[in-house]
Amino acid sequence: MARRQNQIADALPLVAIDLGSDSVRAMAARRIAADLFQVLGVEERPQKYGNVCVEQGIITQSSNAGYVIAEVLKLLANRIGLTELPTAFVSVGGQSMQIVAVHSRRDQARKKEISQALLDEMELECKEKIERRNPEVAVLGLVPSYFTLDGVEQDEMPSEEQRAALVEAHYIAFYGRKAMDTQLQKSFSQAGRSIEHVFVRPETLLSAFATCDGNHILMNGCAVLDFGAQTTSLTVYKGGQYLLNKVVPKGGYHITRMLEQQGMNFATAEVLKKKYGCASPTFVTKEVKLRIPASPEMGGDMVISARELAEAIELKLQEILAPLMEELKKVEGRIATLYITGGGSMLSGLAEYLQGLTSAKVQFGAHNLLLHRDTEEKYLSPQYTSLVGTILLGQDYRDSHKNQLVRKPGFFDRVKESTLDMFIDQQ
């Protein structure tokens, strides 16, 4: 039997996967200049067309998730003219994700270069430190906060030219239930693909915004309100520190479900929300009455006005936002900007509605400056920001890990995982 050949990651396109609660998306891209990328292709698999495998940002069924991941990457490879895409960078979030500060210290005995291997070793030590303290959790991502070289503090990652005897690395660790990481690893193994590196969603979003608007937004302080399908999260960041990361288990999907309860079917409710929905009756510019098919249980048609639609949406929006805005109030004096993003953020009047709730400047987060000017307009939508941010961080990762090999899981790896799943299902 021929041995499986490992590939050098640098020779492959940059591939990012976003495991959303509404769909699994994958993007392939290549760098064409510093912090400028060309999108080679995008594929998406809505969960409604298959078994639900991701809920509230967490993989619930690894076998189904593995199938979807393999399918999306196969379609993406075909789209860009490759035989296969064996590896991908992944962005993860989730309701149970929390943050904690952690650091590592190394005494090199004498002043010498600070190698990438040393930094990787210190990062791994931080990860293992947290997981040893609590065996029930797994570290999903470590974001550099600051470094101290021979007593001198700096925000940037040490470069190859810098030398020091005493090195301290400080990180913000995002962690969650161990099952989150286990299911993620199993899903990719069953898909016959490898994870090149995992990034946390708050980091991918902030990296995109900071690259487009300038790193001063991080020093001045900013917050990101990320509207997903099943979750809405608030992340607050300033000067190298994550001050807050809070997630509520409600999002755009729950607004649509609420409209469905008014007597229409889900598909009609989703269309109404996107086409006529407003964050509040205040932002209804033209009063119209909409005649739509009622749900099968009611039969016939029903009539709803744009104002009634907005009133219903505002009630659910207040329910979603209340716990997040309560947390934002505690720290809003320390930030300058509130970014809004995510697939559910395109609700008409949402930015203006939020501006009435906070003293921070409210604006939509953008990633357009990271993409070549010929990029299709639909890929500039907020629902793709996390993918583009993952591509950006993926390139940074490859720049600091030259000639890293990609190992694609073999047949026996997948058989082992499938057998384990069968055993667990029978318990």
Side-chain angles (χ1 to χ4, degrees), residues 329-342:
K329 285 290 184 184
K330 299 175 183 178
V331 295
E332 68 176 347
R334 302 178 64 184
I335 66 171
T337 309
L338 171 62
Y339 288 100
I340 48 178
T341 190

Side-chain angles (χ1 to χ4, degrees), residues 227-295:
F227 279 87
Q230 292 188 8
T231 59
T232 303
S233 64
L234 175 68
T235 302
V236 180
Y237 183 95
K238 183 169 186 176
Q241 293 290 326
Y242 282 87
L243 308 179
L244 173 68
N245 184 71
K246 184 175 179 62
V247 184
V248 296
K250 295 176 183 176
Y253 170 88
H254 297 86
I255 293 177
T256 306
R257 280 296 183 201
M258 176 274 303
L259 294 177
E260 181 186 30
Q261 293 168 6
Q262 307 297 310
M264 63 193 81
N265 63 45
F266 185 87
T268 300
E270 183 71 9
V271 170
L272 280 182
K273 181 185 73 174
K274 291 181 177 179
K275 191 171 182 179
Y276 299 102
C278 288
S280 166
T282 305
F283 306 110
V284 175
T285 57
K286 183 179 180 181
E287 181 60 286
V288 294
K289 291 190 178 295
L290 307 166
R291 182 176 294 276
I292 56 175
S295 62

Side-chain angles (χ1 to χ4, degrees), residues 28 32-34 56 64 69 72 138 152 157 173 209 228 248 255 258 273 287 302 345 405:
I32 54 178
Q56 297 179 0
N64 288 342
I69 290 167
V72 168
V152 179
M157 184 87 71
F209 301 153
V248 296
I255 293 177
M258 176 274 303
K273 181 185 73 174
E287 181 60 286
M302 62 177 291
S345 67
L405 294 177

